[in-house]
Every structure is written in structure tokens, then in C-alpha cells.
Amino acid sequence: MGPGTLEGILEKLPVFDCPQVLVGLNQPDDAGVYQLNAETALIQTVDFFTPVVDNPYLFGQIAATNALSDVYAMGGQPLTALNIVCFPTDCLDLEVLAQILAGGAEIVQRAGAVILGGHTVEDAEPKYGLAVTGIAHPERIITNQGARPGDLLVLTKPLGTGVIITAVKGEVLTEAEISPALASMLTLNQSASEAMQAWGVRGATDITGFGLLGHALEMAQASRCTIELWIDKIPWLPGAREMAGMGLVPAGAYANQHYLNGKLEFLGSLSEAEKDLLFDPQTSGGLLIAIAEAKVEGLVDHLKLRGETAWIIGRVCQPGDYSIRVHGV
Ligand code: CO
Ligand code: CO
Ligand code: CO
């Protein structure tokens, strides 16, 4: 990345050389990890964004599910959270804010964590999210460096939330018509995280703003391997391919595509809609899990027994010319 990018700016900041930092700025991952003692490491993350749906309670729920996800992606258990709020108190009813906060609190409760406080800033456009602190055993932290050649890749939620949200904003779909996407965005990655710990997974990340391919690239680079994905195995939200085919693709998908240019190859045939969905930024997406082939069926069965979804969508390979290889049909 060049000097004009966020990474370029971060590179110029002082490096915190501290043995307790297990995952920090020099090793970008879903969350930072700080070891407290031999048994416990803190996992810390923050995420907030502008409304993705009109219903303020639902927005609060989705933002909280999304914010908790980075702790789950590291194999942790969330303990505490702080609300982060931007809100135009002069032009929006305070009841809207109350609904956003109530939705967020409901999800934090569902996760078994607590909200300790928060901070609100006056802003023209509402924004909401949480700073979340969790814990895990220091030797059981799951990072994007943990994928190994030969592992299979499991994805726990279908793709397409960015395209579906764009279709609702474009008034092509109504919020009532996108219940599978809403249910997916409201599903905590908690069970998936517990399953990863039960099966000794070491490599995973959650799929959010960089899309499946952007987050797969982070994993491939951190693990020094090539990731191979199989287009006919990738799950899509109902209507996502149709909406992408109509061009209802968010700007973020094109930014992701631009970023991945030269780092991936497409083999065989893929539709433009499918390609767009591979770059589609996800809100509260699922986990991408790398697991040894011998254990993958056990993990998938474990998830399905708990009512979760899981698809084997590719594998981890020795490093090749490109960090990612997508096989079409
Ligand atoms: Co993440
Ligand atoms: Co995040
Ligand atoms: Co304050």
C-alpha cells in the first residue's frame, strides 16, 4: 500500500513493542489481543457505521451483532461493551436514538455480555456501533495467520448483504422482502466461534466490509498461502444474484475489486453477478474458517446440530502466483 492509504498512515505511527501484545497494529486482524496472564488474554475491537435499514431498533441490533463478531472471529467470549453514537439531536426524534440503543442492548444481552457505558457525539448523520472487550485463553486465540495448506475452508453465512441493502435503499426490495438477509445479519457468530474452539481451529476471520475476497486475501497473506474458492459451492442470500445482475451493487464492492486487482485469478466461467457478490461488502457476515480436512465434517455437523449453517467453499493451498484463485464452472 502507498503512502496515501490508511495502511501508509498506520505504518508511520510508533510501534508499541510490548510482550503482552499478542495481536496488534503490526499484525492486522479482526481484533487486538493483549495477554493479561497465563490464562487470560483480552480481545478488543470497535465497529460503528451509518444505518443499513430504516427501522432504528433493527439497525441497533445489526450494528451490535456486527460489532461483537470480531471477538467471535478470534475465538473469544465477549464480556463488556461500550456504545458509540453519533446523532443529530436537533433534527431527529430522540425516540429514534432510544430504539437504536434498545436494539443494540438486546443483542449484547443475547451474547451474554454487558454494556458498561458509551459516548454520544452530535453529528448530521446517525452512526452506531460498539467497542467490545472479550477474553480467550492466550494459546487459543484464532487469527488470520492460522490457515495451513491442505486445510478446507468453511463459510457460515451466505453472501449478498451489501447488494440486498442496496436494493432496499433503491426501493427495488422492501425490508419485509429481505427477511433471510435480516435473519442472517442478526445471527451472532457465537455458536460458530464455540464450534471453532471445540474443534481446535487456529485460522479464521469474519466476512465484513472487504467482502469474501478481501478477507480471504488477508488470510492468504497473513498465512503465506494461496486460497482457492469454488464458485459452485458458495452460498448466496435469496435474491442476491438477481439484484447484483440488475446492477444494484454498492460502491464498496468496486473499491474491494480495485484493491484485489492483480492479487487473484478467475479460472473457468463465472457470471458478472457472482463476481460482484464475491467483492460485496458484508454487514454482520459469517466466519471463514480454515480447518484440517480430517476435522471438517465434524465441525460442519457440530454447527448444523446447533441450527447453524455452514458450507465448505474452498481450500488452502501452497503459495502460488496469486494469493486467491477462484474456480468457476
Ligand atoms: Co473482522
Ligand atoms: Co471489524
Ligand atoms: Co464521554
Side-chain angles (χ1 to χ4, degrees), residues 282-293:
Q282 301 300 285
T283 298
S284 192
L287 298 183
L288 179 66
I289 302 168
I291 182 165
E293 191 167 0

Side-chain angles (χ1 to χ4, degrees), residues 30 45-47 70 206 208:
D30 294 305
T45 179
V46 56
D47 248 313
D70 279 327
D206 62 340
T208 52

Side-chain angles (χ1 to χ4, degrees), residues 256-267:
N256 290 339
Q257 182 169 17
H258 183 77
Y259 179 69
L260 279 136
N261 200 7
K263 300 175 182 107
L264 84 162
E265 62 177 334
F266 289 110
L267 302 170

